Amino acid sequence: MSLKKLLKPFKLISIARRSGVVTVLYPYQKSLITTEFRGKISIDATKCMGCGACVNACPPNALTLSRRDDTIILNYFIGRCIFCGRCAEVCPVGAITVTHEFELASTSTRDLNESLVHRIERCSGCGGGLGATSRMLQYVILHSPASENYVHLCPDCRKKKLIQSLAMKMGARTEDYEG
Amino acid sequence: MRVDPLKKSIWVFHLNTGSCNACDIEILDALTPYFDVERFGIKLVASPRHADLVLLTGPITRKTLPKVINALRAVPRPRYVLAIGACAVGGGIWYDTYSVIGGVEELKKILEENGIEIDRIVYVPGCPARPEAIIYGVAVLLGLVEQKVHGEVKIAE
């Protein structure tokens, strides 16, 4: 019995030898991420059109869309992101890609905010704000070419144009509208 | 009050403030031999009085708030906090729910009212944060590595 007790450490050494070292030497060794791993998203500023499809899909509202004066601001707060990848799934132009980046520690939450500023297009009739970016208009024209004539107008100008064209068809003269 | 920086190994205290346990499992994964943070001198202790760093997980529910304040008051200076996971950083899914405080940002204001100063907070996003990300967060806290993310504003022309 006592001999068995004495030999116990040697038995453990043999077991440890057989199983080997399992520790991952993280900072010096490549991390264990697979190709399907979802990390931080990256928004391509040259493709994004500011439509807000990603904002609707985002479960924790990490992506938010706000309008200030002449701009639409798409803000991405990494601190609230749950890395589900739904935004990349719904993006109509494929501007959002999911990267493998996971080393996101920072000393302030301000560093965890990324924003993308879009400029709002103006109505070609009255010059008021249109509520859409130029890339959004291009996207609409690309998918329904018939809209090219009135897509640059605001709803009020569009109504005016429609009534005007109807009246013209019914036989009204242009001078009636000028005055 | 001037506080001397840490010179020796850091001891950590694990504080769950109403998280779903995913971040807690990742912390345990970092502590066990697979990632083995004891090779950096990081050691788990049972009492906040022995700890240098508090590993805070969860969105801080109203029920746990008094206990969180007590635990953080017990930590000796320098007092460091590592906010782990989306909930601790910005409230996560529950950021605007009635029953939670909504992350460490909000907790900081409440602690200031109570006269508790935190010397440094490092935010580790992730849902849950990977064990590697937690180790990286500790390295950022100690100033061993530069942080990779910087808030940026891009303009789409």
Side-chain angles (χ1 to χ4, degrees):
Chain A
M1 191 65 194
S2 65
L3 188 72
K4 225 177 185 181
K5 239 180 192 175
L6 274 170
L7 285 174
K8 211 174 178 186
F10 296 102
K11 203 180 167 189
L12 280 176
I13 288 167
S14 74
I15 289 168
R17 273 259 175 124
R18 233 181 298 135
S19 53
V21 179
V22 292
T23 306
V24 179
L25 303 170
Y26 158 59
Y28 313 109
Q29 204 177 327
K30 236 183 134 197
S31 50
L32 299 160
I33 51 173
T34 55
T35 48
E36 292 88 17
F37 177 75
R38 295 189 303 269
K40 188 188 104 151
I41 61 162
S42 84
I43 305 166
D44 191 348
T46 58
K47 278 186 192 169
C48 177
M49 58 178 186
C51 64
C54 48
V55 177
N56 279 338
C58 187
N61 290 2
L63 286 157
T64 47
L65 206 62
S66 58
R67 188 169 166 176
R68 201 177 300 154
D69 302 330
D70 270 10
T71 53
I72 291 176
I73 303 164
L74 176 67
N75 191 57
Y76 173 45
F77 178 40
I78 307 166
R80 205 179 286 152
C81 181
I82 58 166
F83 308 104
C84 59
R86 281 196 189 184
C87 45
E89 219 168 76
V90 298
C91 186
V93 288
I96 298 176
T97 46
V98 180
T99 63
H100 290 321
E101 190 58 54
F102 65 88
E103 289 164 332
L104 305 165
S106 84
T107 48
S108 84
T109 43
R110 202 176 301 152
D111 289 341
L112 295 175
N113 279 294
E114 273 176 23
S115 36
L116 181 57
V117 182
H118 287 281
R119 192 162 288 284
I120 286 173
E121 198 76 350
R122 300 230 146 246
C123 169
S124 60
C126 62
L130 204 59
T133 62
S134 63
R135 275 191 207 139
M136 269 153 94
L137 301 182
Q138 281 165 20
Y139 184 82
V140 170
I141 292 165
L142 191 74
H143 285 260
S144 73
S147 65
E148 203 177 344
N149 297 322
Y150 54 84
V151 83
H152 291 283
L153 295 167
C154 69
D156 282 344
C157 291
R158 217 175 285 169
K159 273 177 216 158
K160 262 183 210 162
K161 197 183 175 187
L162 178 75
I163 291 165
Q164 211 165 325
S165 63
L166 277 175
M168 293 289 270
K169 262 184 196 167
M170 288 170 127
R173 284 163 300 162
T174 336
E175 294 91 72
D176 296 345
Y177 298 95
E178 297 300 322
Chain B
M1 190 181 133
R2 212 186 139 269
V3 184
D4 292 332
L6 287 177
K7 288 183 189 124
K8 295 179 179 173
S9 300
I10 54 166
W11 287 7
V12 296
F13 176 66
H14 179 189
L15 184 63
N16 182 333
T17 66
S19 89
C20 69
N21 291 153
C23 291
D24 306 287
I25 288 165
E26 299 297 316
I27 288 171
L28 292 185
D29 197 13
L31 293 167
T32 48
Y34 201 76
F35 284 95
D36 196 19
V37 285
E38 269 184 53
R39 65 203 158 105
F40 307 118
I42 302 166
K43 187 171 174 281
L44 187 74
V45 290
S47 164
R49 288 177 206 283
H50 302 158
D52 303 303
L53 172 67
V54 174
L55 305 174
L56 195 145
T57 61
I60 309 151
T61 56
R62 288 198 189 280
K63 207 77 173 164
T64 59
L65 181 63
K67 286 92 173 173
V68 170
I69 292 170
N70 283 345
L72 287 174
R73 188 179 276 137
V75 179
R77 299 287 291 274
R79 195 181 277 139
Y80 295 149
V81 170
L82 196 70
I84 294 167
C87 298
V89 176
I93 293 272
W94 297 278
Y95 71 99
D96 57 353
T97 314
Y98 67 95
S99 57
V100 305
I101 300 297
V104 171
E105 280 285 276
E106 302 296 316
L107 178 71
K108 221 161 77 177
K109 292 171 198 162
I110 296 165
L111 289 177
E112 267 170 30
E113 284 168 22
N114 286 285
I116 301 166
E117 237 179 285
I118 293 175
D119 295 305
R120 200 156 197 208
I121 303 175
V122 167
Y123 302 91
V124 183
C127 190
R130 289 177 68 84
E132 290 111 317
I134 295 167
I135 296 167
Y136 182 80
V138 177
V140 167
L141 185 120
L142 297 175
L144 301 173
V145 289
E146 280 281 305
Q147 78 179 52
K148 279 185 189 171
V149 283
H150 296 286
E152 53 182 332
V153 178
K154 282 185 264 182
I155 293 164
E157 73 296 324

